[in-house]
Amino acid sequence: MTNRLQLQARLAEKAALRYTPAGLAAQDVVLEHQSLQSEAGGEHLVALRLKAVAFGPLAERLARTDLGSGLRCEGFLASPRRGHGVVLHIQTFEPQ
């Protein structure tokens, strides 16, 4: 089964860089996206906020990224530990 998401967004929030019990860097962020999408013959303004997380060297790189920066992220969706909503697990990102 495929679980792949590609999203252009703005880095809206970021928590302090943390480390897992295994010593792996983890960066929790909130991404904001806004775009015009075609659906059912019309165009709709889509705006959303999405929780996301990155691990390892990617987390350290994301921690150094300025708030408000545009990003092109790719990764997969998963349920958070507490089970409410979804979280994007960022596997790659590039500045936009």
Side-chain angles (χ1 to χ4, degrees):
M1 288 189 255
T2 302
N3 178 353
R4 194 89 192 128
L5 179 69
Q6 184 179 77
L7 184 71
Q8 287 182 311
R10 183 181 70 81
L11 182 59
E13 297 176 23
K14 63 180 177 177
L17 184 67
R18 63 182 174 85
Y19 291 87
T20 68
L24 190 63
Q27 180 63 63
D28 297 300
V29 299
V30 174
L31 302 173
E32 288 184 342
H33 168 86
Q34 186 172 344
S35 64
L36 201 55
Q37 299 293 319
S38 298
E39 182 178 38
E43 290 191 333
H44 304 278
L45 180 63
V46 174
L48 63 93
R49 289 173 57 89
L50 180 63
K51 292 179 182 180
V53 64
F55 294 97
L58 192 65
E60 294 168 345
R61 196 171 130 224
L62 190 55
R64 293 189 301 270
T65 302
D66 293 331
L67 286 176
S69 296
L71 304 174
R72 183 172 158 251
C73 301
E74 290 188 34
F76 63 91
L77 296 175
S79 293
R81 283 179 268 148
R82 292 173 190 87
H84 300 294
V86 297
V87 174
L88 171 62
H89 284 245
I90 300 171
Q91 294 177 303
T92 64
F93 79 88
E94 295 299 326
Q96 292 287 283

